[in-house]
Amino acid sequence: MKHCLIVDDSAVIRKVARRILEELAFTITEAENGEIALSVCRDGMPDVVLLDWNMPVMNGYEFLTHLRQAPGGEKPKVLFCTTENDIAHITRALQAGADEYIMKPFDKDIVAAKLQEVGLV
């Protein structure tokens, strides 16, 4: 079973994403900010990270930068999942190592399509 780390400061978004990903046969770990997410990754890299941009403590961009520099940090597919929809944010995320970009709000079809694009379903 594939493992997904959901990183978002919104408990509601984490709950919705968890429900969708569990239906797609993923095991789930949650983190409410990038700092906690990095700690989770140090314990074991997930197959995919569903990552919010705007979070307290450590935002998604900072997390992604640290993740990609960590041992094994090139492994997880990273799907930025955010309301930031301008081309500058999208370009910055992709240049930092994101594999795909999902706009909020999202549904199961969107998440499944993006996971298929990165080769995980």
Side-chain angles (χ1 to χ4, degrees):
M1 194 174 264
K2 300 233 184 262
H3 175 221
C4 179
L5 171 59
I6 301 168
V7 188
D8 200 300
D9 58 324
S10 166
V12 171
I13 295 294
R14 291 194 312 269
K15 182 177 181 178
V16 169
R18 173 183 282 275
R19 190 172 336 116
I20 289 170
L21 288 155
E22 285 176 342
E23 286 179 26
L24 296 171
F26 282 82
T27 60
I28 306 299
T29 305
E30 297 181 21
E32 60 264 17
N33 64 57
E35 187 174 83
I36 294 168
L38 273 179
S39 177
V40 169
C41 290
R42 285 186 197 106
D43 291 340
M45 288 291 174
D47 296 294
V48 63
V49 178
L50 191 65
L51 180 63
D52 185 25
W53 190 289
N54 297 308
M55 296 177 289
V57 184
M58 180 186 289
N59 69 36
Y61 179 80
E62 293 166 332
F63 164 80
L64 180 56
T65 302
H66 288 291
L67 173 70
R68 292 305 193 209
Q69 294 171 354
E74 73 286 349
K75 176 191 169 216
K77 300 294 185 183
V78 176
L79 308 178
F80 252 109
C81 182
T82 182
T83 57
E84 299 292 348
N85 63 358
D86 61 88
I87 194 69
H89 276 91
I90 295 169
T91 301
R92 189 171 174 213
L94 295 173
Q95 288 175 343
D99 296 284
E100 268 300 337
Y101 208 90
I102 298 174
M103 300 307 304
K104 291 180 184 174
F106 55 86
D107 61 20
K108 182 180 177 182
D109 292 339
I110 292 168
V111 173
K114 293 296 184 174
L115 288 169
Q116 187 172 18
E117 286 180 28
V118 298
L120 290 175
V121 290

